[in-house]
C-alpha cells in the first residue's frame, strides 16, 4: 500500500518560491507505472490539478501554472518535489501529493499541507 | 480545458436516503470519470474510477454511471459517515479537472 506525506514550509512570502516534498513509502518511486502528482485546493474551492512526473521523468503540467512550475523526483530518497516560483496570495491553498497507476485516477493521497502566501 | 460542473452544489439528506449527484463535462470524456469523497483534514478518498468501477474497500452502496458528458454518483442508503463533500474528476485529457464539489449535509 503506497503512502504519501507532504512536507515543507507553511508560509511563503509573495514573489518567492514555494517548495514542497512528498515522501513515498510502501512503493518505489522508480516504478514506471505511477504518475507522481500534485493537486491543490484553494480555500472554499474545488480541487485543482497542478501536474505530474511520470515514467523516465516525463512531466505534464497544468498550462495555467507551467511557466512557474517544476516537478522532479529524487530516487535516492524516494521523494518527489514541487517548486512553484513567483507566488502570490492566489497560490494560498492546501497542497496534496497523490499518485495512481490507471486511467488518471488517484487512489493514493497525502494528508495535505496548507501553504499560505503572505508577507 | 474541460469544465466539470456538478449539481447540486449542496444537498441535505437523512440517514437511509438514496442520493444522486450529477457531474457534467463540457465535452465528451468517454468513461474517464472518477469520484472522490473529501473530508476536512483527511486525505481525499477515491470512490469510483472509470465511471463505474468501485475502488477496493469502498462500500457497495456507492455506484457510478454515465458516459460521454453526463455522469452520476449514487449512494443507495446514506450512512452517517457519508456526510462529506463529493467531487468528480475527468482524466480524459490534461489538464485533469475537477468539479466544484457537492456538499452533502445531514437534514
Amino acid at each position: 500500500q503506497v503512502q504519501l506525506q507532504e512536507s515543507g514550509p507553511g508560509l511563503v512570502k509573495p514573489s518567492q518560491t514555494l517548495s514542497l516534498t512528498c515522501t513515498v513509502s510502501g512503493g518505489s518511486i522508480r516504478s514506471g507505472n505511477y504518475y507522481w502528482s500534485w493537486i491543490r485546493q484553494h480555500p472554499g474551492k474545488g480541487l485543482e490539478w497542478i501536474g505530474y512526473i511520470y515514467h523516465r521523468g516525463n512531466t505534464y503540467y497544468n498550462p495555467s501554472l507551467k511557466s512557474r512550475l517544476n516537478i522532479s523526483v529524487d530516487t535516492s530518497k524516494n521523494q518527489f518535489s514541487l517548486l512553484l516560483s513567483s507566488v502570490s496570495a492566489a497560490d494560498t491553498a492546501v497542497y496534496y501529493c497523490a499518485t495512481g497507476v490507471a486511467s488518471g485516477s488517484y487512489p493514493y493521497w497525502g494528508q495535505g499541507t496548507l501553504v499560505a502566501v503572505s508577507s | 480545458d474541460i469544465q466539470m460542473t456538478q449539481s447540486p452544489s449542496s444537498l441535505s439528506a437523512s440517514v437511509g436516503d438514496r442520493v444522486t449527484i450529477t457531474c457534467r463535462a463540457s465535452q465528451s470524456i468517454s468513461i474517464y470519470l472518477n469520484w472522490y469523497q473529501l473530508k476536512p483534514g483527511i486525505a481525499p478518498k477515491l470512490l469510483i474510477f472509470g465511471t463505474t468501477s468501485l475502488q477496493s474497500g469502498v462500500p457497495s452502496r456507492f455506484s457510478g454511471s454515465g458516459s460521454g458528458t453526463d455522469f452520476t454518483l449514487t449512494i443507495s442508503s446514506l450512512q452517517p459517515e457519508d456526510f462529506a463533500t463529493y467531487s468528480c474528476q475527468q482524466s480524459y485529457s490534461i489538464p485533469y479537472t475537477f468539479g466544484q464539489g457537492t456538499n452533502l449535509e445531514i437534514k
Side-chain angles (χ1 to χ4, degrees):
Chain A
Q1 174 90 350
V2 173
Q3 294 183 311
L4 306 173
Q5 179 65 58
E6 305 90 350
S7 59
L11 181 64
V12 182
K13 288 183 166 51
S15 80
Q16 293 191 344
T17 296
L18 182 159
S19 177
L20 294 174
T21 295
C22 183
T23 300
V24 180
S25 57
S28 173
I29 205 160
R30 290 187 178 88
S31 170
N33 295 329
Y34 288 92
Y35 32 88
W36 306 103
S37 306
W38 291 95
I39 294 165
R40 68 182 181 180
Q41 185 171 27
H42 294 99
K45 302 292 186 183
L47 294 163
E48 179 183 26
W49 183 83
I50 297 172
Y52 67 67
I53 189 164
Y54 188 51
H55 189 54
R56 298 179 183 173
N58 294 333
T59 52
Y60 297 84
Y61 296 156
N62 193 320
S64 68
L65 299 168
K66 187 174 183 177
S67 63
R68 302 191 288 130
L69 185 60
N70 182 262
I71 298 176
S72 60
V73 164
D74 186 337
T75 55
S76 67
K77 296 181 179 178
N78 221 37
Q79 295 174 334
F80 63 105
S81 297
L82 166 74
L83 292 177
L84 184 65
S85 63
S86 304
V87 297
S88 69
D91 294 307
T92 292
V94 174
Y95 285 76
Y96 296 96
C97 56
T99 194
V101 295
S103 67
S105 63
Y106 290 99
Y108 308 112
W109 293 71
Q111 297 279 75
T113 186
L114 175 62
V115 179
V117 178
S118 174
S119 55
Chain B
D1 298 4
I2 297 175
Q3 305 301 316
M4 306 301 293
T5 304
Q6 286 182 236
S7 61
S9 55
S10 64
L11 176 60
S12 294
S14 302
V15 173
D17 284 353
R18 180 184 180 90
V19 165
T20 297
I21 298 169
T22 296
C23 183
R24 175 164 288 178
S26 60
Q27 65 184 73
S28 177
I29 57 171
S30 184
I31 60 166
Y32 290 89
L33 192 283
N34 313 302
W35 289 98
Y36 299 87
Q37 180 188 69
L38 283 67
K39 294 182 177 180
I42 299 175
K45 181 180 181 180
L46 175 65
L47 302 173
I48 303 282
F49 63 94
T51 298
T52 59
S53 297
L54 194 67
Q55 174 65 10
S56 176
V58 174
S60 59
R61 63 181 180 271
F62 291 91
S63 64
S65 65
S67 68
T69 60
D70 295 312
F71 302 86
T72 59
L73 172 71
T74 299
I75 309 172
S76 60
S77 178
L78 275 173
Q79 298 303 300
E81 61 269 28
D82 298 338
F83 292 95
T85 297
Y86 292 85
S87 180
C88 60
Q89 175 226 348
Q90 66 82 16
S91 53
Y92 178 78
S93 69
I94 285 172
Y96 297 156
T97 47
F98 294 82
Q100 80 279 15
T102 295
N103 186 26
L104 179 54
E105 301 174 322
I106 300 174
K107 184 181 288 185

